[in-house]
Amino acid sequence: MDAHNIPNLNTLKTGRGRGSGLRGRALRLNQSDSDGEASKEAKDAVIQNTDQDAAQSRLSAVELGYLDDPFAKSFVQGPTVRRYPIINRGTYVRTTAIDHLIQRFLSASPSSQKQIVSLGAGTDTRYFRLVRDNPSLRSILVYHELDFPTTTTAKVSNIQRNPYLRSFLPPDTEYGSENSHLYTLTYNAHALDLRDLAIADPASIPSVRNLRRDIPTLLLSECCLIYLLPAVSTRIISSFMTHLLPTPAPLALVIYEPVHPHDPFGRTMVSNLSQRGIVLESLETFHDLAAQRNRLKDAGFNSGQEGRSILECWRQWIVEEEKGRVARCEMVDEVEEWELLAEHYCICWGWRDGHDDKEDLDVFSRAWKDLRRQEG
């Protein structure tokens, strides 16, 4: 369909587990000091509200059979809103593609301890899905979620009053005052504005409780850093690289973001979002796969940088039998529209191998070595 006739981006926001649209994160938007606190809070609220859109998109895909996620409904307020078929497929591919990268990471030396840090996690259910599908991870995986306090409080409150969710946590789980955070040795929900990590002075960087500095760690940003100015997101990544998770431990970053803002579809996408008060601060800078890979290399992920569009993930990572199952979930008549949408979102990943004689120093190179690069 013509770019001017695409569904309003109201419907192009993802649900995870963050269609293949924008997964909202509860992060404050970057702005000058002169904007005023009221303006800041208003812009923050816009971004925070997109997280419920994300949860709704995830639940839409779950209830139609695209995804197996019994936890999705626990984080949705109100009745399910059914998304367009191309959005449901996008949600499925994005979730499956990120799961693919994570599972490769976890499967490399499967008995060794590993860590995942999800930036701006929102209502994401990935930790619960992982330990449900592989209970042994509860003893070897350390999982962290970082997000704005408003979002974290809502999520922790949902967890605390839901016996099924609590069953995946240890009995000595520590809940913060008014459920502002949750701490265990395996799963942690931190109330933390990521911009607080964008500080030049290492001594002023907030600590992240239970963060392990001695095991391979995967950072995950699903439409999170894109809400921050490039200089701010770069400093956040640098804080992890040099202070919170320095060498010699292996470290990787997986990014899911929109790309190609300058073609007709991309311009319409940006325009629709701006009408809702949503600004993708770094889209112009990291506007395609090449720019994203350079971003990862410049950040210090020197052992490898790769990426591909959501469309290529669908074509190359989803086997034909599974494509047939997905096609039976609902009819997708707008194939050209689906492909156009999927070309405007990408997953990129970069990694830094370890630099000592520890086992698993090359865990990411081994996990992702045969994933072919897509140019462009």
Side-chain angles (χ1 to χ4, degrees), residues 47-269:
I47 301 304
Q48 292 169 33
N49 288 339
T50 65
D51 188 59
Q52 267 305 303
D53 294 319
Q56 283 282 4
S57 292
R58 183 187 315 120
L59 185 57
S60 175
V62 168
E63 293 198 343
L64 287 166
Y66 286 89
L67 297 170
D68 176 18
D69 185 352
F71 311 102
K73 194 169 184 60
S74 301
F75 299 105
V76 171
Q77 301 171 4
T80 306
V81 178
R82 183 163 177 170
R83 301 304 196 200
Y84 285 100
I86 62 173
I87 307 307
N88 290 323
R89 180 172 290 188
T91 299
Y92 163 81
V93 179
R94 176 187 47 76
T95 302
T96 302
I98 293 174
D99 284 351
H100 181 63
L101 291 172
I102 289 177
Q103 289 295 350
R104 278 174 166 261
F105 165 53
L106 297 175
S107 298
S109 302
S111 62
S112 298
Q113 288 192 305
K114 298 181 178 69
Q115 184 167 244
I116 295 174
V117 180
S118 181
L119 308 178
T123 55
D124 183 29
T125 61
R126 181 166 274 111
Y127 170 78
F128 296 97
R129 291 192 293 109
L130 285 172
V131 297
R132 179 205 61 169
D133 295 341
N134 184 0
S136 67
L137 290 175
R138 298 172 72 169
S139 63
I140 61 174
L141 176 64
V142 184
Y143 203 101
H144 298 268
E145 297 180 346
L146 280 59
D147 215 325
F148 192 65
T150 301
T151 300
T152 303
T153 298
K155 185 169 192 176
V156 173
S157 297
N158 281 335
I159 292 171
Q160 191 171 39
R161 62 175 173 257
N162 188 312
Y164 184 49
L165 292 171
R166 291 202 315 274
S167 70
F168 293 93
L169 302 178
D172 59 350
T173 297
E174 177 184 334
Y175 296 92
S177 174
E178 299 182 350
N179 291 329
S180 59
H181 59 258
L182 182 160
Y183 297 138
T184 77
L185 294 179
T186 55
Y187 173 73
N188 301 269
H190 304 271
L192 177 64
D193 181 347
L194 291 181
R195 292 181 306 172
D196 292 340
L197 301 177
I199 299 173
D201 178 14
S204 300
I205 296 175
S207 62
V208 179
R209 184 167 167 180
N210 296 329
L211 186 70
R212 295 278 303 274
R213 295 160 60 99
D214 60 332
I215 58 177
T217 300
L218 185 153
L219 302 175
L220 177 60
S221 170
E222 294 190 65
C223 272
C224 168
L225 297 177
I226 198 165
Y227 292 117
L228 303 172
L229 290 173
V232 176
S233 64
T234 297
R235 288 198 298 270
I236 291 170
I237 296 170
S238 178
S239 291
F240 279 103
M241 293 285 289
T242 62
H243 178 69
L244 294 171
L245 297 167
T247 55
L251 181 64
L253 173 61
V254 175
I255 297 173
Y256 166 77
E257 290 184 357
V259 286
H260 305 309
H262 301 125
D263 62 21
F265 185 98
R267 289 195 298 270
T268 302
M269 176 179 69

Side-chain angles (χ1 to χ4, degrees), residues 8-16 18-24 46 49-58 83 87-88 91 94 227 256 273 276 278 341 345:
N8 188 285
L9 259 274
N10 212 6
T11 65
L12 297 186
K13 298 176 298 291
T14 83
R16 179 179 287 299
R18 1 163 297 329
S20 123
L22 302 177
R23 174 161 184 197
V46 171
N49 288 339
T50 65
D51 188 59
Q52 267 305 303
D53 294 319
Q56 283 282 4
S57 292
R58 183 187 315 120
R83 301 304 196 200
I87 307 307
N88 290 323
T91 299
R94 176 187 47 76
Y227 292 117
Y256 166 77
L273 283 171
R276 302 180 60 231
I278 298 173
L341 175 66
Y345 293 86

